[in-house]
Amino acid sequence: MMHYIRYIVSTVLLLVVLGANAQDSVKVVTAKDTTQVQPKKKYFSVMLGTDYGKLISTAFKLETKYEVNVGLLLFSKIRITGDYGHGELEPKNAIENGSYTSTGDYYRAGIDYVFEIAPKTYLGLGAMYASSDFSDKGNVQIQSDIWPSLNEEFTRENFSAKWVEWVLTSEKTVANKEKGFLSNLYVGMKFRLRFMIEKPEPEAFDVYAIPGYGRTFNDIVPAANLFIAYRIN
């Protein structure tokens, strides 16, 4: 009986030793995890910007203008935009033998659809509604050796105007990177076609310029502006 017990014990110990040696000699190959981690979808982001073309004109004392922009980008396709600006316009030759200044604030709100036409390069098509609250002033000086000289000044307040714009936007990131500050910094240009809806019609002197709209020589006015914006994801 003891003989069989010793035989069983010896056999079990032998199998344990052989199994341990076999495990040590086997190379364990771990399969590489080929699962790709998909980036989280960004359903919306905020864009803050300004018109640096207007800042340049102000710096060089051509005209006093500034503008700030806020945009909400939904699903990287639909952008809801709001603008606020201030302008002090002094169009040349608005009044012959005189001067003219129009000063006030303007507001715009609209929506556009954004296409990615190349890596980090975008095109937007949309429309905006705009209004301006402003005042103007001017003077006329006519000297004559025959008739009495004319020197007339005027100041008018509480004017308002309304118009709509078709907007084409071209923009791209400063750096073609996926991460980092420059990957969210955009520069671009907006081409606008403005359609006047309502403007003041004073009896004496015309309104020659409206902040946010520009010169009033026509009820359909083209315009362009440069901007820089930062996208907050």
Side-chain angles (χ1 to χ4, degrees):
M1 184 67 177
M2 291 298 296
H3 175 73
Y4 290 108
I5 294 175
R6 289 175 182 174
Y7 177 76
I8 294 172
V9 173
S10 299
T11 302
V12 171
L13 291 175
L14 180 61
L15 292 174
V16 170
V17 173
L18 291 175
N21 291 334
Q23 188 175 15
D24 291 339
S25 61
V26 173
K27 294 182 179 180
V28 179
V29 178
T30 304
K32 293 182 179 180
D33 187 5
T34 58
T35 304
Q36 295 183 353
V37 179
Q38 297 294 332
K40 293 182 179 180
K41 291 184 178 181
K42 299 173 183 177
Y43 294 103
F44 72 93
S45 56
V46 177
M47 298 189 72
L48 305 175
T50 186
D51 184 330
Y52 66 87
K54 289 181 173 61
L55 296 179
I56 292 174
S57 67
T58 300
F60 284 93
K61 298 181 179 180
L62 302 176
E63 286 182 320
T64 302
K65 297 186 290 185
Y66 60 82
E67 180 179 308
V68 293
N69 324 108
V70 178
L72 180 62
L73 187 61
L74 305 175
F75 307 104
S76 299
K77 294 293 183 182
I78 300 173
R79 180 165 52 199
I80 302 172
T81 307
D83 302 336
Y84 165 75
H86 175 83
E88 183 176 323
L89 311 181
E90 300 179 17
K92 295 181 179 180
N93 302 321
I95 298 178
E96 190 174 356
N97 299 319
S99 63
Y100 178 83
T101 303
S102 177
T103 306
D105 302 327
Y106 60 92
Y107 315 87
R108 287 193 293 253
I111 187 171
D112 60 353
Y113 191 83
V114 181
F115 306 85
E116 186 172 12
I117 58 176
K120 301 296 182 178
T121 303
Y122 304 89
L123 194 68
L125 295 172
M128 304 192 79
Y129 174 82
S131 66
S132 177
D133 299 318
F134 65 100
S135 62
D136 68 352
K137 63 181 180 179
N139 68 79
V140 180
Q141 298 177 356
I142 300 176
Q143 304 295 328
S144 175
D145 296 331
I146 301 176
W147 306 102
S149 298
L150 175 65
N151 188 352
E152 183 175 349
E153 297 183 354
F154 64 90
T155 299
R156 303 175 296 195
E157 298 182 349
N158 300 321
F159 280 161
S160 65
K162 299 177 177 60
W163 67 93
V164 294
E165 302 180 353
W166 293 114
V167 185
L168 172 64
T169 305
S170 175
E171 62 189 57
K172 67 175 300 181
T173 57
V174 174
N176 190 18
K177 297 180 179 179
E178 294 298 329
K179 295 182 179 180
F181 176 81
L182 294 180
S183 66
N184 289 326
L185 187 63
Y186 292 73
V187 292
M189 177 179 288
K190 290 181 181 290
F191 301 92
R192 304 177 184 271
L193 190 60
R194 296 168 175 157
F195 299 84
M196 180 62 70
I197 299 175
E198 178 185 324
K199 67 178 181 180
E201 300 288 350
E203 293 183 359
F205 297 95
D206 291 335
V207 172
Y208 298 101
I210 298 174
Y213 183 85
R215 296 292 298 267
T216 59
F217 56 85
N218 202 322
D219 286 344
I220 301 177
V221 175
N225 61 286
L226 305 172
F227 71 91
I228 184 169
Y230 188 77
R231 178 173 175 175
I232 303 173
N233 296 318

